[in-house]
Amino acid sequence: GDAGDESETKSDVALPLSARWKREEEAARLRKLAVEVSGGEVGMGAVLLSASNCLLVLYMAVYHLVSNFYLETQIDQLEELFGAGHAEWLSSAFNFAFPLGGLLASVPVASLLERAGEAEYFGIATLLANTFSLCSLSSSRQPQLAAALLFGPVRCLTWACYFQFLSTESRYPPGLSARAMGYNNVVIAIVGAAGPYTLAYLVNERALLGGASMGMGKGRGDSRYLQAKLFLQLCNTLIAIFPCLLWRERRRKQAGAAHSG
């Protein structure tokens, strides 16, 4: 049906017919097992409140917050660190590299998603996202340039991982996947939209982490930005739990399959 067609990805089309058939049989078996365990059809609430979906939404919300805060405050941060001239040059490099980097990354990203498992592709995305945020923490020009160059490819990879995960029929039944994506996107969008403005307001009001009481003046704005970015880096580091749990879940399934075999 239309819902089943929606759930197919480009990597599915590229698979040989026998491999696609085997994959569809496995997905059908897992859906049947879920129905047997729950005593009925899997509901939307069960899908949305599952541990994997909650962690997925948290992962994407944190990434969206980090990337949007960078977009919102980039030029202001760079001007305070390097002055208007160098800030304009770095901002121009970012404006050029962002779309081009995302475009060039699309082919290797598609290849990665076709060959790697959930734990692997989210693990790589997490590593690159943390590399980007660590570079953006630096007060030197070279790491800031690296952050500008990394932004597009990391964004392409992270969102591709998100949509690939949502296409997993054993986790998201075809009839519910589109609705689950819609609900997830609302939460991610709210965090990604409200979070950067809230942090920027705290920075501008010299209130973040007690900045006002420490007497930070206007010329110390880079320090206040650093505190905000350290908080975001901590969040970005903690979401590494998601690929770790995916890896653990896969190991359990493999151990169970070996034991039953």
Side-chain angles (χ1 to χ4, degrees):
D2 292 338
D5 294 338
E6 266 184 37
S7 68
E8 287 192 352
T9 62
K10 292 182 180 179
S11 60
D12 292 327
V13 176
L15 287 172
L17 184 59
S18 59
R20 289 178 60 192
W21 179 262
K22 184 177 180 181
R23 184 168 168 176
E24 289 171 4
E25 280 189 333
E26 177 65 13
R29 184 186 70 80
L30 291 172
R31 289 198 302 273
K32 182 179 179 182
L33 179 62
V35 170
E36 291 174 354
V37 170
S38 63
E41 288 292 338
V42 178
M44 175 57 67
V47 171
L48 293 177
L49 296 178
S50 65
S52 60
N53 188 69
C54 290
L55 285 171
L56 174 68
V57 172
L58 176 63
Y59 183 98
M60 292 303 301
V62 169
Y63 170 75
H64 205 37
L65 172 61
V66 171
S67 60
N68 280 7
F69 183 75
Y70 178 79
L71 289 172
E72 174 72 21
T73 62
Q74 179 208 48
I75 189 66
D76 191 32
Q77 293 182 57
L78 294 177
E79 284 180 354
E80 290 181 339
L81 287 172
F82 310 121
H86 288 293
E88 184 177 351
W89 183 88
L90 284 170
S91 182
S92 298
F94 169 79
N95 292 335
F96 177 77
F98 177 16
L100 182 61
L103 178 64
L104 294 177
S106 60
V107 174
V109 164
S111 178
L112 171 67
L113 296 182
E114 182 179 344
R115 291 170 171 78
E118 296 168 346
E120 285 77 18
Y121 61 68
F122 266 114
I124 294 172
T126 303
L127 176 63
L128 291 177
N130 276 276
T131 301
F132 158 76
S133 57
L134 285 170
C135 288
S136 71
L137 276 170
S138 176
S139 58
S140 300
R141 294 170 193 167
Q142 290 79 8
Q144 287 290 343
L145 177 59
L149 297 177
L150 277 171
F151 186 89
V154 172
R155 194 177 182 94
C156 173
L157 172 60
T158 304
W159 281 103
C161 291
Y162 170 66
F163 291 120
Q164 178 80 355
F165 192 83
L166 284 171
S167 72
T168 308
E169 292 187 358
S170 59
R171 297 184 186 275
Y172 300 92
L176 302 178
S177 59
R179 290 169 58 197
M181 181 188 299
Y183 289 123
N184 288 353
N185 288 351
V186 169
V187 177
I188 295 167
I190 290 173
V191 175
Y197 285 108
T198 303
L199 284 174
Y201 171 79
L202 292 174
V203 168
N204 291 332
E205 292 297 313
R206 307 169 188 173
L208 184 62
L209 298 180
S213 63
M214 292 170 62
M216 291 183 179
K218 186 175 181 181
R220 298 285 300 280
D222 54 328
S223 298
R224 289 181 283 111
Y225 273 121
L226 179 62
Q227 289 176 339
K229 291 165 76 174
L230 284 171
F231 166 73
L232 293 176
Q233 178 59 51
L234 175 62
C235 295
N236 220 16
T237 303
L238 291 176
I239 61 173
I241 191 175
F242 183 45
C244 292
L245 289 177
L246 290 176
W247 177 81
R248 184 182 177 186
E249 178 186 70
R250 187 180 64 189
R251 289 294 299 270
R252 281 182 172 178
K253 289 180 179 179
Q254 291 173 345
H259 180 72
S260 61

